[in-house]
Amino acid sequence: MTHSRTRIHDLLTEGGLAPRRDLGQNFVADPNTVRRIASLADVGPGDDVIEIGAGLGSLTLALAESGASVTAIEVDHGLVPILRREVEGLDSVTVIEADAMTLDWSQVLASGDRWTLVANLPYNVATPLVCDLLDQVPAVDSMLVMVQREVAERLASAPGSKHYGAVSVKVAYWAEAAVAATVPASVFVPRPNVESALVRIVRRPPPDVDPDVLFPLVRQGFGQRRKMLRRSLRGTVTAEQFDAAGVAPEARPEQLGLDAWCRLAEAIS
């Protein structure tokens, strides 16, 4: 049984708790929304799911209903006892009290080869967490994450979009990403001032380019995104290297897709 708005308020009141702004806590208080997320995640019996920021268990319960095995991560010491009580008796759910930003993922994910991340991520950690998982945790094979809509558009943007940036290139290097759905502010407690969206990220084999060369190059280019590349990449890419890569030095960073950035990285290495 997933949580209604009344249930969310009752659980917080019983625990003498309130949503913590420092942790970006906005609890989903609509059963239809969490069931929709679980359905979009396309998980079921035999699947291993990692949930970050499980909170009071609204999404955890919906994922458990699918038949998947769920490892729920929650950093808030005050919420963990409530979360454990709410999933008590569900053998398919394991609760871990930990900070996902400092977690030993190799230990947590040791029981499975392929994991799906499904999470309502706090806005303040969403981008670095997704990027860290893509960079460092290949066992996470796919993600369906709820984030601020602007963040979602940045993660999934294509060249030419105003949201396209260094993060978009990094995500494209590791995976295919798309906005799967939007989520209204009205389903949260407390109600945030922004709209949310669900992003689906599915890992694929990366291009044969050294990320330690590619990513710093991309960051340098987008560090001065309004300037032409010949200026923002001055001292890093020569005229001959632009020519070898088939990239116009007059182009701006948001005009280059992943392939063009990879060619530039190959030219300088």
Side-chain angles (χ1 to χ4, degrees):
M1 184 69 177
T2 57
H3 295 338
S4 65
R5 184 174 299 273
T6 299
R7 181 62 174 162
I8 293 289
H9 284 295
D10 287 347
L11 289 172
L12 291 172
T13 300
E14 291 167 10
L17 301 171
R20 289 179 55 178
R21 185 184 299 269
D22 62 316
L23 294 179
Q25 288 178 345
N26 297 94
F27 304 108
V28 183
D30 179 64
N32 290 331
T33 296
V34 292
R35 290 195 176 106
R36 182 188 183 199
I37 295 170
S39 176
L40 286 170
D42 193 26
V43 294
D47 292 323
D48 291 317
V49 175
I50 188 85
E51 182 193 4
I52 295 172
L56 294 166
S58 296
L59 179 55
T60 316
L61 292 170
L63 291 168
E65 285 181 357
S66 75
S69 296
V70 183
T71 299
I73 310 297
E74 176 53 51
V75 68
D76 187 343
H77 181 71
L79 292 182
V80 169
I82 300 174
L83 175 62
R84 287 199 167 113
R85 188 181 71 225
E86 291 302 294
V87 301
E88 188 176 2
L90 296 176
D91 294 337
S92 61
V93 179
T94 301
V95 176
I96 298 176
E97 181 179 347
D99 182 349
M101 297 299 293
T102 60
L103 202 57
D104 182 348
W105 288 105
S106 62
Q107 181 178 353
V108 173
L109 306 183
S111 62
D113 296 326
R114 298 178 59 186
W115 290 77
T116 298
L117 169 68
V118 186
N120 171 22
L121 293 179
Y123 299 151
N124 57 336
V125 302
T127 297
L129 183 56
V130 168
C131 289
D132 285 352
L133 289 171
L134 287 172
D135 282 343
Q136 302 168 17
V137 191
V140 176
D141 188 62
S142 64
M143 308 182 198
L144 183 71
V145 293
M146 183 156 56
V147 295
Q148 184 177 341
R149 185 169 183 174
E150 182 180 341
V151 173
E153 291 169 340
R154 192 179 306 134
L155 292 171
S157 281
S161 166
K162 68 178 181 179
H163 299 288
Y164 183 70
V167 169
S168 314
V169 178
K170 170 167 282 202
V171 173
Y173 177 87
W174 291 114
E176 294 181 0
V179 176
T182 57
V183 182
S186 58
V187 304
F188 294 95
V189 173
R191 178 175 180 145
N193 296 322
V194 296
E195 189 175 37
S196 298
L198 289 160
V199 183
R200 188 191 313 281
I201 301 172
V202 180
R203 194 181 286 275
R204 58 171 175 74
D208 188 20
V209 176
D210 186 352
D212 291 333
V213 176
L214 175 64
F215 295 154
L217 179 70
V218 172
R219 286 195 299 270
Q220 182 180 345
F222 279 99
Q224 302 179 71
R225 65 180 298 143
R226 294 186 179 182
K227 293 185 177 181
M228 292 183 289
L229 291 171
R230 69 184 180 194
R231 297 188 64 185
S232 61
L233 297 179
R234 182 181 298 164
T236 300
V237 184
T238 65
E240 292 77 16
Q241 289 166 337
F242 274 116
D243 186 58
V247 173
E250 297 81 16
R252 287 179 167 77
E254 67 270 15
Q255 296 176 283
L256 270 62
L258 174 63
D259 287 347
W261 282 111
C262 288
R263 294 197 305 271
L264 272 180
E266 288 176 331
I268 69 173
S269 62

Short mmCIF file of all heavy atoms in Angstrom, two decimals, residues 80-132:
data_model
loop_
_atom_site.label_atom_id
_atom_site.label_comp_id
_atom_site.label_asym_id
_atom_site.label_seq_id
_atom_site.Cartn_x
_atom_site.Cartn_y
_atom_site.Cartn_z
N VAL A 80 14.94 6.93 8.84
CA VAL A 80 15.27 5.52 8.64
C VAL A 80 14.41 4.58 9.49
O VAL A 80 13.90 3.57 8.97
CB VAL A 80 16.77 5.27 8.88
CG1 VAL A 80 17.08 3.78 8.93
CG2 VAL A 80 17.60 5.93 7.77
N PRO A 81 14.19 4.84 10.79
CA PRO A 81 13.33 3.92 11.56
C PRO A 81 11.91 3.84 11.01
O PRO A 81 11.30 2.75 11.02
CB PRO A 81 13.35 4.53 12.98
CG PRO A 81 14.58 5.37 13.03
CD PRO A 81 14.75 5.91 11.64
N ILE A 82 11.38 4.96 10.53
CA ILE A 82 10.03 4.96 9.95
C ILE A 82 10.02 4.15 8.66
O ILE A 82 9.13 3.34 8.42
CB ILE A 82 9.55 6.40 9.70
CG1 ILE A 82 9.52 7.19 11.00
CG2 ILE A 82 8.18 6.40 9.03
CD1 ILE A 82 9.19 8.66 10.82
N LEU A 83 11.03 4.37 7.83
CA LEU A 83 11.14 3.63 6.57
C LEU A 83 11.21 2.13 6.83
O LEU A 83 10.51 1.34 6.17
CB LEU A 83 12.36 4.11 5.80
CG LEU A 83 12.71 3.37 4.51
CD1 LEU A 83 11.58 3.49 3.50
CD2 LEU A 83 14.02 3.90 3.93
N ARG A 84 12.03 1.74 7.80
CA ARG A 84 12.17 0.31 8.11
C ARG A 84 10.83 -0.27 8.59
O ARG A 84 10.48 -1.41 8.24
CB ARG A 84 13.26 0.10 9.16
CG ARG A 84 14.67 0.32 8.59
CD ARG A 84 15.72 -0.32 9.48
NE ARG A 84 17.00 -0.38 8.78
CZ ARG A 84 18.09 0.30 9.12
NH1 ARG A 84 18.06 1.09 10.19
NH2 ARG A 84 19.20 0.19 8.44
N ARG A 85 10.10 0.50 9.37
CA ARG A 85 8.81 0.02 9.87
C ARG A 85 7.81 -0.13 8.72
O ARG A 85 7.03 -1.08 8.68
CB ARG A 85 8.27 0.99 10.92
CG ARG A 85 7.02 0.47 11.64
CD ARG A 85 6.52 1.47 12.65
NE ARG A 85 5.93 2.64 11.98
CZ ARG A 85 6.17 3.89 12.33
NH1 ARG A 85 7.03 4.17 13.31
NH2 ARG A 85 5.58 4.89 11.69
N GLU A 86 7.85 0.83 7.77
CA GLU A 86 6.89 0.80 6.66
C GLU A 86 7.11 -0.38 5.72
O GLU A 86 6.18 -0.84 5.07
CB GLU A 86 6.96 2.12 5.88
CG GLU A 86 6.43 3.32 6.64
CD GLU A 86 4.99 3.12 7.07
OE1 GLU A 86 4.12 3.06 6.19
OE2 GLU A 86 4.73 3.01 8.29
N VAL A 87 8.35 -0.85 5.62
CA VAL A 87 8.63 -1.98 4.71
C VAL A 87 8.83 -3.29 5.48
O VAL A 87 9.21 -4.30 4.89
CB VAL A 87 9.87 -1.69 3.83
CG1 VAL A 87 9.64 -0.44 3.01
CG2 VAL A 87 11.14 -1.57 4.66
N GLU A 88 8.55 -3.26 6.76
CA GLU A 88 8.72 -4.46 7.59
C GLU A 88 7.87 -5.60 7.03
O GLU A 88 6.71 -5.42 6.66
CB GLU A 88 8.30 -4.16 9.03
CG GLU A 88 8.62 -5.27 10.01
CD GLU A 88 8.29 -4.89 11.45
OE1 GLU A 88 7.78 -3.77 11.65
OE2 GLU A 88 8.54 -5.71 12.33
N GLY A 89 8.46 -6.76 6.93
CA GLY A 89 7.75 -7.91 6.40
C GLY A 89 7.91 -8.11 4.91
O GLY A 89 7.50 -9.14 4.37
N LEU A 90 8.52 -7.14 4.23
CA LEU A 90 8.78 -7.27 2.80
C LEU A 90 10.20 -7.80 2.61
O LEU A 90 11.17 -7.06 2.73
CB LEU A 90 8.62 -5.91 2.10
CG LEU A 90 7.22 -5.29 2.12
CD1 LEU A 90 7.24 -3.92 1.46
CD2 LEU A 90 6.22 -6.21 1.42
N ASP A 91 10.31 -9.08 2.33
CA ASP A 91 11.63 -9.70 2.18
C ASP A 91 12.40 -9.15 0.99
O ASP A 91 13.63 -9.28 0.92
CB ASP A 91 11.49 -11.22 2.02
CG ASP A 91 10.94 -11.89 3.27
OD1 ASP A 91 11.07 -11.29 4.36
OD2 ASP A 91 10.35 -12.98 3.15
N SER A 92 11.70 -8.51 0.06
CA SER A 92 12.35 -8.02 -1.15
C SER A 92 12.98 -6.64 -0.96
O SER A 92 13.59 -6.11 -1.89
CB SER A 92 11.34 -7.94 -2.30
OG SER A 92 10.29 -7.03 -1.98
N VAL A 93 12.83 -6.04 0.23
CA VAL A 93 13.34 -4.69 0.46
C VAL A 93 14.41 -4.71 1.53
O VAL A 93 14.22 -5.25 2.62
CB VAL A 93 12.21 -3.72 0.89
CG1 VAL A 93 12.77 -2.33 1.16
CG2 VAL A 93 11.12 -3.66 -0.19
N THR A 94 15.56 -4.07 1.22
CA THR A 94 16.65 -3.88 2.18
C THR A 94 16.87 -2.39 2.35
O THR A 94 17.00 -1.66 1.37
CB THR A 94 17.95 -4.53 1.68
OG1 THR A 94 17.73 -5.93 1.48
CG2 THR A 94 19.08 -4.32 2.67
N VAL A 95 16.90 -1.94 3.60
CA VAL A 95 17.11 -0.52 3.88
C VAL A 95 18.53 -0.30 4.38
O VAL A 95 19.00 -1.02 5.27
CB VAL A 95 16.10 -0.01 4.94
CG1 VAL A 95 16.40 1.45 5.30
CG2 VAL A 95 14.67 -0.15 4.41
N ILE A 96 19.21 0.67 3.79
CA ILE A 96 20.57 1.02 4.20
C ILE A 96 20.61 2.50 4.57
O ILE A 96 20.20 3.35 3.77
CB ILE A 96 21.60 0.75 3.08
CG1 ILE A 96 21.62 -0.75 2.75
CG2 ILE A 96 22.98 1.23 3.48
CD1 ILE A 96 22.53 -1.10 1.59
N GLU A 97 21.07 2.79 5.77
CA GLU A 97 21.25 4.19 6.17
C GLU A 97 22.63 4.64 5.71
O GLU A 97 23.64 4.16 6.22
CB GLU A 97 21.11 4.34 7.68
CG GLU A 97 21.27 5.79 8.15
CD GLU A 97 21.11 5.95 9.64
OE1 GLU A 97 20.64 5.00 10.31
OE2 GLU A 97 21.49 7.04 10.16
N ALA A 98 22.69 5.55 4.76
CA ALA A 98 23.97 5.97 4.19
C ALA A 98 23.77 7.20 3.32
O ALA A 98 22.66 7.50 2.86
CB ALA A 98 24.59 4.85 3.36
N ASP A 99 24.87 7.90 3.07
CA ASP A 99 24.91 9.03 2.15
C ASP A 99 25.34 8.50 0.79
O ASP A 99 26.46 7.97 0.64
CB ASP A 99 25.90 10.08 2.66
CG ASP A 99 25.96 11.31 1.79
OD1 ASP A 99 25.40 11.30 0.67
OD2 ASP A 99 26.57 12.31 2.23
N ALA A 100 24.49 8.60 -0.19
CA ALA A 100 24.79 8.05 -1.52
C ALA A 100 26.02 8.70 -2.15
O ALA A 100 26.67 8.10 -3.00
CB ALA A 100 23.59 8.23 -2.45
N MET A 101 26.36 9.91 -1.72
CA MET A 101 27.51 10.60 -2.30
C MET A 101 28.83 10.04 -1.81
O MET A 101 29.88 10.29 -2.41
CB MET A 101 27.44 12.11 -2.01
CG MET A 101 26.25 12.81 -2.63
SD MET A 101 26.21 12.70 -4.43
CE MET A 101 27.65 13.69 -4.87
N THR A 102 28.80 9.28 -0.71
CA THR A 102 30.04 8.73 -0.16
C THR A 102 29.97 7.20 -0.01
O THR A 102 30.82 6.60 0.65
CB THR A 102 30.35 9.35 1.21
OG1 THR A 102 29.27 9.09 2.12
CG2 THR A 102 30.54 10.87 1.10
N LEU A 103 28.98 6.60 -0.62
CA LEU A 103 28.73 5.17 -0.44
C LEU A 103 29.79 4.33 -1.15
O LEU A 103 30.30 4.69 -2.20
CB LEU A 103 27.36 4.85 -1.03
CG LEU A 103 26.63 3.59 -0.57
CD1 LEU A 103 26.44 3.59 0.94
CD2 LEU A 103 25.28 3.51 -1.27
N ASP A 104 30.11 3.18 -0.57
CA ASP A 104 30.96 2.19 -1.22
C ASP A 104 30.06 1.34 -2.12
O ASP A 104 29.49 0.34 -1.69
CB ASP A 104 31.67 1.32 -0.18
CG ASP A 104 32.61 0.30 -0.81
OD1 ASP A 104 32.56 0.10 -2.04
OD2 ASP A 104 33.40 -0.33 -0.06
N TRP A 105 29.93 1.75 -3.37
CA TRP A 105 28.98 1.10 -4.27
C TRP A 105 29.35 -0.35 -4.56
O TRP A 105 28.48 -1.20 -4.76
CB TRP A 105 28.86 1.89 -5.56
CG TRP A 105 28.13 3.18 -5.37
CD1 TRP A 105 28.65 4.43 -5.32
CD2 TRP A 105 26.72 3.34 -5.18
NE1 TRP A 105 27.66 5.36 -5.10
CE2 TRP A 105 26.47 4.72 -5.02
CE3 TRP A 105 25.65 2.44 -5.14
CZ2 TRP A 105 25.18 5.22 -4.82
CZ3 TRP A 105 24.36 2.94 -4.93
CH2 TRP A 105 24.14 4.31 -4.78
N SER A 106 30.64 -0.65 -4.62
CA SER A 106 31.06 -2.01 -4.91
C SER A 106 30.54 -2.98 -3.85
O SER A 106 30.20 -4.13 -4.14
CB SER A 106 32.58 -2.10 -5.02
OG SER A 106 33.19 -1.74 -3.78
N GLN A 107 30.46 -2.51 -2.62
CA GLN A 107 29.96 -3.36 -1.54
C GLN A 107 28.44 -3.46 -1.58
O GLN A 107 27.87 -4.55 -1.45
CB GLN A 107 30.40 -2.79 -0.19
CG GLN A 107 29.93 -3.61 1.00
CD GLN A 107 30.43 -3.04 2.33
OE1 GLN A 107 31.22 -2.10 2.36
NE2 GLN A 107 29.96 -3.62 3.41
N VAL A 108 27.76 -2.34 -1.79
CA VAL A 108 26.30 -2.32 -1.79
C VAL A 108 25.72 -3.13 -2.94
O VAL A 108 24.70 -3.82 -2.79
CB VAL A 108 25.79 -0.86 -1.84
CG1 VAL A 108 24.27 -0.82 -2.03
CG2 VAL A 108 26.18 -0.11 -0.58
N LEU A 109 26.39 -3.08 -4.10
CA LEU A 109 25.85 -3.73 -5.30
C LEU A 109 26.47 -5.10 -5.57
O LEU A 109 26.29 -5.65 -6.65
CB LEU A 109 26.07 -2.82 -6.52
CG LEU A 109 25.53 -1.39 -6.40
CD1 LEU A 109 25.77 -0.64 -7.70
CD2 LEU A 109 24.05 -1.38 -6.04
N ALA A 110 27.17 -5.64 -4.59
CA ALA A 110 27.90 -6.89 -4.80
C ALA A 110 26.98 -8.07 -5.10
O ALA A 110 27.41 -9.06 -5.71
CB ALA A 110 28.75 -7.20 -3.57
N SER A 111 25.73 -8.00 -4.71
CA SER A 111 24.84 -9.15 -4.86
C SER A 111 24.25 -9.30 -6.25
O SER A 111 23.56 -10.28 -6.54
CB SER A 111 23.70 -9.06 -3.85
OG SER A 111 22.92 -7.90 -4.08
N GLY A 112 24.50 -8.32 -7.14
CA GLY A 112 23.93 -8.40 -8.49
C GLY A 112 24.87 -7.83 -9.53
O GLY A 112 25.75 -7.03 -9.22
N ASP A 113 24.69 -8.26 -10.79
CA ASP A 113 25.54 -7.79 -11.88
C ASP A 113 24.98 -6.55 -12.56
O ASP A 113 25.72 -5.71 -13.05
CB ASP A 113 25.73 -8.90 -12.93
CG ASP A 113 26.46 -10.10 -12.36
OD1 ASP A 113 27.34 -9.90 -11.51
OD2 ASP A 113 26.14 -11.23 -12.78
N ARG A 114 23.65 -6.46 -12.64
CA ARG A 114 23.00 -5.35 -13.32
C ARG A 114 21.94 -4.76 -12.42
O ARG A 114 21.07 -5.47 -11.90
CB ARG A 114 22.37 -5.83 -14.64
CG ARG A 114 23.37 -6.38 -15.64
CD ARG A 114 22.66 -6.87 -16.89
NE ARG A 114 21.90 -5.80 -17.53
CZ ARG A 114 21.10 -6.00 -18.59
NH1 ARG A 114 20.93 -7.22 -19.06
NH2 ARG A 114 20.46 -4.98 -19.12
N TRP A 115 22.02 -3.46 -12.23
CA TRP A 115 21.09 -2.77 -11.35
C TRP A 115 20.39 -1.65 -12.10
O TRP A 115 20.94 -1.04 -13.00
CB TRP A 115 21.84 -2.17 -10.15
CG TRP A 115 22.37 -3.19 -9.19
CD1 TRP A 115 23.47 -3.98 -9.36
CD2 TRP A 115 21.81 -3.54 -7.92
NE1 TRP A 115 23.64 -4.79 -8.27
CE2 TRP A 115 22.64 -4.54 -7.37
CE3 TRP A 115 20.71 -3.09 -7.19
CZ2 TRP A 115 22.38 -5.10 -6.12
CZ3 TRP A 115 20.45 -3.65 -5.95
CH2 TRP A 115 21.29 -4.65 -5.43
N THR A 116 19.16 -1.38 -11.66
CA THR A 116 18.41 -0.23 -12.15
C THR A 116 18.25 0.75 -11.00
O THR A 116 17.80 0.37 -9.91
CB THR A 116 17.01 -0.65 -12.65
OG1 THR A 116 17.16 -1.55 -13.75
CG2 THR A 116 16.23 0.57 -13.12
N LEU A 117 18.65 1.99 -11.23
CA LEU A 117 18.44 3.05 -10.24
C LEU A 117 17.09 3.70 -10.51
O LEU A 117 16.82 4.14 -11.63
CB LEU A 117 19.56 4.10 -10.34
CG LEU A 117 19.33 5.38 -9.55
CD1 LEU A 117 19.39 5.12 -8.06
CD2 LEU A 117 20.35 6.44 -9.93
N VAL A 118 16.25 3.75 -9.49
CA VAL A 118 14.97 4.46 -9.57
C VAL A 118 14.91 5.36 -8.35
O VAL A 118 14.99 4.87 -7.22
CB VAL A 118 13.77 3.50 -9.60
CG1 VAL A 118 12.48 4.28 -9.83
CG2 VAL A 118 13.95 2.43 -10.67
N ALA A 119 14.77 6.66 -8.55
CA ALA A 119 14.89 7.54 -7.40
C ALA A 119 14.25 8.89 -7.63
O ALA A 119 14.20 9.40 -8.76
CB ALA A 119 16.37 7.74 -7.06
N ASN A 120 13.76 9.46 -6.55
CA ASN A 120 13.35 10.86 -6.48
C ASN A 120 14.54 11.59 -5.86
O ASN A 120 14.70 11.61 -4.65
CB ASN A 120 12.09 11.01 -5.61
CG ASN A 120 11.75 12.45 -5.32
OD1 ASN A 120 12.15 13.36 -6.03
ND2 ASN A 120 11.00 12.67 -4.24
N LEU A 121 15.40 12.16 -6.71
CA LEU A 121 16.67 12.70 -6.22
C LEU A 121 16.53 14.13 -5.72
O LEU A 121 15.90 14.97 -6.39
CB LEU A 121 17.72 12.67 -7.34
CG LEU A 121 18.17 11.30 -7.81
CD1 LEU A 121 19.19 11.43 -8.93
CD2 LEU A 121 18.76 10.50 -6.66
N PRO A 122 17.12 14.43 -4.57
CA PRO A 122 17.16 15.83 -4.11
C PRO A 122 17.83 16.70 -5.17
O PRO A 122 18.82 16.31 -5.79
CB PRO A 122 18.02 15.76 -2.84
CG PRO A 122 17.92 14.33 -2.40
CD PRO A 122 17.80 13.52 -3.64
N TYR A 123 17.28 17.89 -5.38
CA TYR A 123 17.75 18.74 -6.45
C TYR A 123 19.23 19.10 -6.31
O TYR A 123 19.94 19.26 -7.29
CB TYR A 123 16.91 20.02 -6.51
CG TYR A 123 15.45 19.79 -6.79
CD1 TYR A 123 14.48 20.66 -6.31
CD2 TYR A 123 15.02 18.69 -7.54
CE1 TYR A 123 13.13 20.45 -6.58
CE2 TYR A 123 13.68 18.47 -7.79
CZ TYR A 123 12.73 19.36 -7.32
OH TYR A 123 11.40 19.14 -7.57
N ASN A 124 19.70 19.21 -5.05
CA ASN A 124 21.06 19.71 -4.84
C ASN A 124 22.14 18.67 -5.12
O ASN A 124 23.32 19.01 -5.24
CB ASN A 124 21.22 20.25 -3.41
CG ASN A 124 20.88 19.23 -2.35
OD1 ASN A 124 20.14 18.29 -2.59
ND2 ASN A 124 21.41 19.41 -1.15
N VAL A 125 21.77 17.39 -5.26
CA VAL A 125 22.79 16.35 -5.51
C VAL A 125 22.55 15.59 -6.81
O VAL A 125 23.35 14.73 -7.18
CB VAL A 125 22.88 15.34 -4.34
CG1 VAL A 125 23.20 16.05 -3.04
CG2 VAL A 125 21.60 14.51 -4.24
N ALA A 126 21.46 15.91 -7.51
CA ALA A 126 21.06 15.09 -8.66
C ALA A 126 22.14 15.01 -9.73
O ALA A 126 22.53 13.91 -10.16
CB ALA A 126 19.76 15.64 -9.26
N THR A 127 22.64 16.15 -10.17
CA THR A 127 23.60 16.14 -11.28
C THR A 127 24.91 15.46 -10.91
O THR A 127 25.37 14.56 -11.63
CB THR A 127 23.85 17.56 -11.80
OG1 THR A 127 22.62 18.09 -12.32
CG2 THR A 127 24.90 17.57 -12.91
N PRO A 128 25.57 15.84 -9.79
CA PRO A 128 26.82 15.16 -9.47
C PRO A 128 26.64 13.67 -9.20
O PRO A 128 27.52 12.87 -9.54
CB PRO A 128 27.33 15.90 -8.22
CG PRO A 128 26.16 16.62 -7.67
CD PRO A 128 25.30 16.94 -8.84
N LEU A 129 25.52 13.28 -8.62
CA LEU A 129 25.30 11.86 -8.33
C LEU A 129 25.15 11.05 -9.61
O LEU A 129 25.76 9.99 -9.77
CB LEU A 129 24.07 11.69 -7.44
CG LEU A 129 23.74 10.27 -7.00
CD1 LEU A 129 24.93 9.64 -6.27
CD2 LEU A 129 22.51 10.25 -6.11
N VAL A 130 24.34 11.54 -10.55
CA VAL A 130 24.17 10.84 -11.82
C VAL A 130 25.50 10.74 -12.55
O VAL A 130 25.86 9.67 -13.07
CB VAL A 130 23.12 11.56 -12.70
CG1 VAL A 130 23.15 11.02 -14.14
CG2 VAL A 130 21.72 11.37 -12.11
N CYS A 131 26.26 11.83 -12.58
CA CYS A 131 27.56 11.81 -13.27
C CYS A 131 28.53 10.85 -12.60
O CYS A 131 29.26 10.11 -13.29
CB CYS A 131 28.14 13.21 -13.32
SG CYS A 131 27.27 14.33 -14.45
N ASP A 132 28.57 10.84 -11.28
CA ASP A 132 29.46 9.92 -10.56
C ASP A 132 29.10 8.46 -10.84
O ASP A 132 29.98 7.62 -11.02
CB ASP A 132 29.42 10.19 -9.06
CG ASP A 132 30.17 11.45 -8.66
OD1 ASP A 132 30.85 12.04 -9.52
OD2 ASP A 132 30.05 11.85 -7.48
#
